[in-house]
Amino acid sequence: MELAGALQLGELAAAFAALPLFPLFDTAYFIVSLLYLKYEPGAVEMSRKSPFASWLCAMLHCFGSYILADLLLGESPIDYLSNNSSVILATAVWYLIFFCPMNLFYKCVSFLPMKLIFVAMKEVVRVRKIAAGVHHAHHRYHHGWFVMMATGWVKGSGVALMSNFEQLLRGVWKPETNEILLMSFPTKASLYGTVLFTLQQTRWLPVSEANLIFFFTMFMIVCKVFMTATHSHASPFAPVESFICPVFFGSVSSGRTSHHQDQHGASHEVSHPPPPPAKSKEELNEGTRKRKAKKAE
């Protein structure tokens, strides 16, 4: 009975991993990516002033991960744009989200129940892209673990990693929003996921690729749907990171405390200004002469 259940689960995972992404899942991926673009400040105004710049930003949101992965592997960064069907589909979604009369398309896809379905479908595409990136890098560099991890990571979160460049196209420069400095949950999850897929690809993780795709996709769907439904930005990895990071990388609180103490000490010094400097010998002699002159008068 257990063997039959394991076989059925393996067949389900294999069938899930073989699902075609185009056009249904790719459409959901484009919809969610361009919804996030429309949420950016000034994106709607830019689409009216410069539709071409808005279209370029939309293509980066849709295909930025492929561009970064091709750059890492020494391939043409515009190679994926030769896929005319995907580019036309992404362009159609961009036009409907930004220019549909009365914002009907945007209102439909941003309706929360519909949006949750699209978010779940986007995570299916994300995990498949991570697996494909690791597999592609393994084909080129059989023993290049870090190449596999880097390629899978940018395949899963390339849009976020290119956010500063995309901001420049919109005329915005926010270096403090660098994704590497402050990683969002999808970027962290893509990093952890690409480590798992690299271990599986190099036979260090005794799990089939189909099973890993299935279980990691379920994890991503549950997390992202919950975070989107509750409008939460808290990472599910935060409890584990708060326990592990102080052990291996030190605690930040000590630095903050010392900084606070430095500021307190500085303010204390400012509240008690230093005494005035002692008078020089010439000033003392001049003061003595003036006192003697007053007595003589």
Side-chain angles (χ1 to χ4, degrees):
M1 192 69 181
E2 294 180 358
L3 180 60
L7 289 175
Q8 290 178 359
L9 182 60
E11 292 174 359
L12 175 63
F16 180 79
L19 277 176
L21 298 180
F22 186 86
L24 192 59
F25 287 92
D26 281 344
T27 303
Y29 182 87
F30 297 152
I31 287 174
V32 177
S33 298
L34 296 179
L35 277 178
Y36 290 150
L37 173 60
K38 191 166 184 176
Y39 295 156
E40 293 291 334
V44 177
E45 292 79 4
M46 180 191 65
S47 65
R48 304 299 189 268
K49 295 178 182 178
S50 178
F52 181 69
S54 176
W55 179 81
L56 282 179
C57 292
M59 294 304 104
L60 281 181
H61 273 259
C62 295
F63 306 113
S65 56
Y66 298 99
I67 294 172
L68 269 184
D70 289 339
L71 287 174
L72 286 179
L73 296 177
E75 300 175 359
S76 174
I78 61 173
D79 188 36
Y80 192 82
L81 296 180
S82 62
N83 191 341
N84 296 327
S85 300
S86 295
V87 175
I88 292 173
L89 179 61
T91 302
V93 173
W94 162 76
Y95 185 84
L96 289 173
I97 286 180
F98 281 91
F99 302 103
C100 182
M102 298 191 306
N103 259 347
L104 287 178
F105 186 79
Y106 169 76
K107 292 176 182 177
C108 291
V109 297
S110 61
F111 181 55
L112 187 58
M114 290 293 296
K115 185 179 178 180
L116 294 179
I117 296 174
F118 293 138
V119 166
M121 295 173 69
K122 180 182 179 179
E123 296 311 309
V124 175
V125 180
R126 188 195 304 275
V127 177
R128 292 279 288 276
K129 286 165 66 176
I130 294 172
V134 173
H135 182 78
H136 188 191
H138 180 261
H139 181 72
R140 295 278 301 272
Y141 304 91
H142 294 289
H143 303 289
W145 284 37
F146 292 101
V147 178
M148 297 180 216
M149 287 189 285
T151 308
W153 187 36
V154 300
K155 271 291 187 75
S157 58
V159 179
L161 295 174
M162 294 181 68
S163 59
N164 290 111
F165 180 71
E166 185 268 335
Q167 288 171 0
L168 287 178
L169 289 179
R170 292 190 285 112
V172 180
W173 175 240
K174 296 180 180 178
E176 68 277 2
T177 61
N178 190 333
E179 187 69 17
I180 298 179
L181 293 176
L182 188 61
M183 291 188 189
S184 60
F185 166 73
T187 304
K188 285 185 179 180
S190 298
L191 179 59
Y192 299 148
T194 194
V195 172
L196 293 177
F197 279 101
T198 301
L199 293 175
Q200 186 278 328
Q201 194 72 40
T202 54
R203 309 301 180 190
W204 283 84
L205 188 64
V207 180
S208 67
E209 185 179 19
N211 285 336
L212 185 57
I213 289 175
F214 177 77
F215 288 111
F216 193 69
T217 302
M218 293 301 107
F219 168 75
M220 291 295 295
I221 288 176
V222 170
C223 292
K224 279 296 292 180
V225 168
F226 176 78
M227 293 173 67
T228 305
T230 58
H231 303 285
S232 173
H233 298 284
S235 172
F237 303 120
V240 180
E241 291 174 349
S242 62
F243 176 75
I244 295 177
C245 290
V247 177
F248 291 97
F249 305 109
S251 177
V252 185
S253 60
S254 60
R256 290 179 180 175
T257 304
S258 62
H259 181 64
H260 175 72
Q261 288 176 351
D262 291 343
Q263 288 182 340
H264 180 72
S267 61
H268 183 71
E269 289 177 1
V270 171
S271 61
H272 297 278
K279 293 183 179 181
S280 62
K281 197 172 184 179
E282 290 79 4
E283 291 175 346
L284 290 174
N285 293 334
E286 186 176 356
T288 305
R289 286 195 300 269
K290 286 182 179 179
R291 287 196 297 269
K292 289 181 178 178
K294 286 182 180 179
K295 286 181 181 181
E297 290 177 358

